[in-house]
Every structure is written in structure tokens, then in C-alpha cells.
Amino acid sequence: MVAIVKAYELRNKNKAELLKVLEEQKQQLASLRVQKVAGGRQQELGEARKNVARVLTVINQTQREQLRLFYQKKRFVPLDLRVKKTRAMRRALTPFEKSKKTLRQQKKLTHFPLRKYAVKA
């Protein structure tokens, strides 16, 4: 019987412990593959593969989290850590760029301000 590894339990462990768990899970998977040839149960094999995937997922997530913290205050961030959004959104003007006005626009706004009307009720 393969014990299911819980992701929330893995998140509390450090990298060395995670690598140890990963190695154990891979050993278990290898032994189940040998048993499969001898006529073992298929469901346990799938669960063992999922356990390995869970451990690798937690390792990758924590690694990316640490990298995000490292690059938080840096000028440049690696492409895979940047916000994905869409191509159009990434190329759109920033709020500061949108608010910029040309000299001609500034003159027009100062000389011809928006008229205010008081509406009588």
C-alpha cells in the first residue's frame, strides 16, 4: 500500500528533507515497477507516480517563491518570473505614460479650459 504524500505537509519541510522524500518516493516507484512485471497492482503505481510529482511540484514552487523574493527589489527580473498577462497588456502604456501631455495639449488646456455650467433644478 502506497501512502499518499500531502502537499501541505511537504511545504513545511526544507530542501534537504524534500530531496530525501523525493528519493524515497522514487525508490518506492522503482520497486513497484518491478512488482508490476511480477503481476502487482496498477493503482499503486499511479499513486506512486503522483507522489513523485507532488514532491517535485512543491520543490519547484518553493524555489520560484525564493527567486521572486530575491528579485523583488532588483531592476531586472528573469523572463519566467515576470507577470505573464497578455502580449497587448505588456506593451500597453503605463499610467504615467498615459497621463503625459504634449506641449500643444498643455497650452490648449490652459487657454481653453473645460467650461462649467450650473444647471438650475
Side-chain angles (χ1 to χ4, degrees):
M1 180 76 189
V2 176
I4 298 172
V5 177
K6 301 284 186 195
Y8 71 89
E9 291 169 356
L10 293 172
R11 289 186 204 289
N12 299 331
K13 298 184 178 185
N14 63 19
K15 182 127 187 206
E17 291 171 336
L18 285 172
L19 290 172
K20 186 178 173 215
V21 171
L22 179 65
E23 200 56 44
E24 290 170 4
Q25 293 300 323
K26 283 187 175 181
Q27 288 290 331
Q28 198 171 24
L29 181 60
S31 66
L32 283 170
R33 281 195 179 126
V34 171
Q35 287 176 15
K36 178 187 157 192
V37 175
R41 291 189 291 274
Q42 294 287 344
Q43 192 172 3
E44 285 185 9
L45 195 67
E47 198 56 57
R49 283 205 326 271
K50 285 181 183 178
N51 283 343
V52 171
R54 278 188 201 102
V55 176
L56 285 171
T57 300
V58 170
I59 288 171
N60 287 331
Q61 283 177 344
T62 51
Q63 198 171 26
R64 285 177 66 84
E65 195 178 310
Q66 293 300 317
L67 283 169
R68 278 187 205 281
L69 288 172
F70 177 75
Y71 283 106
Q72 202 168 29
K73 302 291 182 189
K74 299 279 191 280
R75 182 178 163 89
F76 297 110
V77 178
L79 292 175
D80 61 334
L81 294 180
R82 291 181 192 171
V83 182
K84 181 84 166 99
K85 296 186 180 176
T86 61
R87 192 165 189 263
M89 286 174 77
R90 288 194 304 264
R91 279 151 181 74
L93 294 174
T94 62
F96 176 74
E97 291 168 339
K98 280 183 193 171
S99 68
K100 296 287 272 182
K101 303 232 182 298
T102 62
L103 187 63
R104 183 178 176 135
Q105 276 180 313
Q106 288 171 350
K107 285 181 181 175
K108 186 179 171 188
L109 286 170
T110 54
H111 294 301
F112 304 102
L114 193 66
R115 293 185 177 179
K116 295 181 187 135
Y117 294 99
V119 181
K120 195 171 186 182

